[in-house]
Amino acid sequence: MIGPDEYHGSSAPGLDDNAYTNVTAAWVLARTLDLVRSLPQVRRDELRERTGLQESELVRWDEVSRKLRVAFHDGVISQFAGYEALAELDWDAYRARYGDIRRLDRILEAEGDTANRYRASKQADVLMLGYLFSPTELRQVFARLGYELDDALWTRTVDYYLRRTSHGSPLSGLVHGWVLARARRADAWTYVEEVLAGDVADVQGGTTQEGIHLGAMAGTLDLVQRGLTGLETRNGALWLDPVPLPQLSEYGFSLRYQGHVGITVQVRAGDLRISAPASQRSPIDIRLPTTTLSLAPGETCSLPLHDR
């Protein structure tokens, strides 16, 4: 297989046990099983008849979703099996020599070398897991595979790959900003600002004239709405876990959830305020890390936030 970072595995025979690929595959299989098993029996029978799906296949999917391998080295998650055998790059020397090393692959090629032999990534690979999954969900997937993923292991992994990423993609800063926000670190905003400036400042030197990075622009909005607030819809509830950032004195937005149109979420220094518009709808189940509440239509709730 080829992992997301694009520096490794592009030549045959590719990579073994890329962590991002194996973990996401395990998650997809597990969620598919949950969906199939949640169907009423009559719907399951219809699905089986239409697709030819056999019960033995479900058993096999469950087995595979628990046995995919994740490698580790030096107390962190390995990007892929054998990653620790790659050479270390002298990042300080390359930054001193070239300044901007976003296109590290081209720099090394010009020197007759290749990024393929170094512990270097173009963009997030392992850390994409922290972009796609909340900390709770990521721990659950690792547990399904038989591994314990605690905060210390994930923090070491984040630090390890941050030091070894050239950010050669305009989306790299966005993903790392999200990962750092979820790791509850204020330096997430540094990456967010870089993404926001990507087209305005043409940070990659000539790409803006070829077209704006609409995905990066939309991603920064999504980061504020879901990343910084910890917004999730899970188990019939609206989950929030905001990240107080000193660079933003206040931010907020509105959303639609379970038929409620115009729910507003506002985060200020030390305070989370959420309001539901008046309607005949049922109350909304709101869950925070230390609090669970029911918000009725027409109500506003203000809750204190604590830096962590």
Side-chain angles (χ1 to χ4, degrees):
M1 65 186 74
I2 299 175
D5 94 67
E6 299 180 11
Y7 281 175
H8 307 95
S10 57
S11 58
L15 305 173
D16 290 328
D17 293 320
N18 174 264
Y20 168 81
T21 307
N22 283 5
V23 172
T24 52
W27 179 87
V28 168
L29 288 169
R31 295 292 73 74
T32 304
L33 288 167
D34 289 343
L35 178 60
V36 171
R37 290 166 178 166
S38 70
L39 294 173
Q41 188 61 48
V42 64
R43 298 302 182 195
R44 290 184 65 177
D45 291 341
E46 290 175 356
L47 178 66
R48 185 177 293 108
E49 182 178 347
R50 187 167 66 251
T51 65
L53 180 66
Q54 301 296 315
E55 188 65 31
S56 59
E57 292 180 87
L58 301 182
V59 173
R60 178 59 173 163
W61 293 353
D62 183 80
E63 180 184 18
V64 172
S65 74
R66 299 178 186 277
K67 290 188 175 181
L68 289 167
R69 179 173 178 249
V70 177
F72 298 85
H73 73 279
D74 299 337
V76 302
I77 302 168
S78 298
Q79 187 165 302
F80 50 84
Y83 181 89
E84 70 279 4
L86 298 176
E88 285 283 16
L89 183 74
D90 190 340
W91 291 87
D92 291 338
Y94 273 87
R95 288 192 175 96
R97 193 182 314 165
Y98 294 100
D100 186 345
I101 59 169
R102 286 183 178 88
R103 294 315 306 264
L104 178 65
D105 52 337
R106 293 181 180 177
I107 291 172
L108 290 171
E109 286 171 7
E111 294 182 347
D113 205 345
T114 173
N116 194 55
R117 73 184 193 91
Y118 292 103
R119 300 186 193 183
S121 298
K122 176 181 178 180
Q123 55 198 358
D125 193 297
V126 174
L127 300 192
M128 274 294 295
L129 295 171
Y131 175 76
L132 291 179
F133 304 114
S134 69
T136 298
E137 194 166 23
L138 191 56
R139 283 194 295 270
Q140 290 172 348
V141 181
F142 268 75
R144 185 182 187 90
L145 293 170
Y147 304 105
E148 181 181 356
L149 179 64
D150 57 23
D151 291 342
L153 171 56
W154 181 246
T155 297
R156 289 195 303 271
T157 301
V158 170
D159 290 337
Y160 184 91
Y161 288 103
L162 273 175
R163 293 193 297 268
R164 293 167 173 82
T165 303
S166 67
H167 305 293
S169 163
L171 293 174
S172 184
L174 172 66
V175 172
H176 286 86
W178 191 302
V179 169
L180 288 174
R182 282 179 163 170
R184 302 297 180 259
R185 291 191 284 185
D187 49 352
W189 193 248
T190 301
Y191 289 95
V192 177
E193 286 185 313
E194 182 175 322
V195 177
L196 287 170
D199 287 319
V200 177
D202 196 11
V203 296
Q204 290 202 335
T207 60
T208 298
Q209 62 187 355
E210 299 173 2
I212 61 172
H213 297 95
L214 192 58
M217 292 180 177
T220 54
L221 177 61
D222 188 42
L223 189 150
V224 172
Q225 292 182 330
R226 293 193 303 128
L228 300 187
T229 61
L231 176 65
E232 292 183 83
T233 55
R234 180 160 43 95
N235 300 331
L238 195 63
W239 297 69
L240 290 160
D241 188 8
V243 182
L245 290 181
Q247 296 89 342
L248 289 177
S249 59
E250 178 180 348
Y251 60 94
F253 54 90
S254 62
L255 58 90
R256 177 172 182 164
Y257 177 69
Q258 292 185 345
H260 296 266
V261 180
I263 299 171
T264 60
V265 177
Q266 289 182 301
V267 179
R268 299 170 181 167
D271 177 75
L272 166 68
R273 185 183 298 268
I274 181 167
S275 302
S279 72
Q280 299 301 312
R281 295 278 178 179
S282 300
I284 307 165
D285 186 10
I286 306 291
R287 299 191 186 184
L288 283 82
T290 59
T291 306
T292 299
L293 59 95
S294 179
L295 185 69
E299 287 187 347
T300 296
C301 182
S302 182
L303 299 166
L305 296 178
H306 304 285
D307 291 334
R308 285 181 289 156

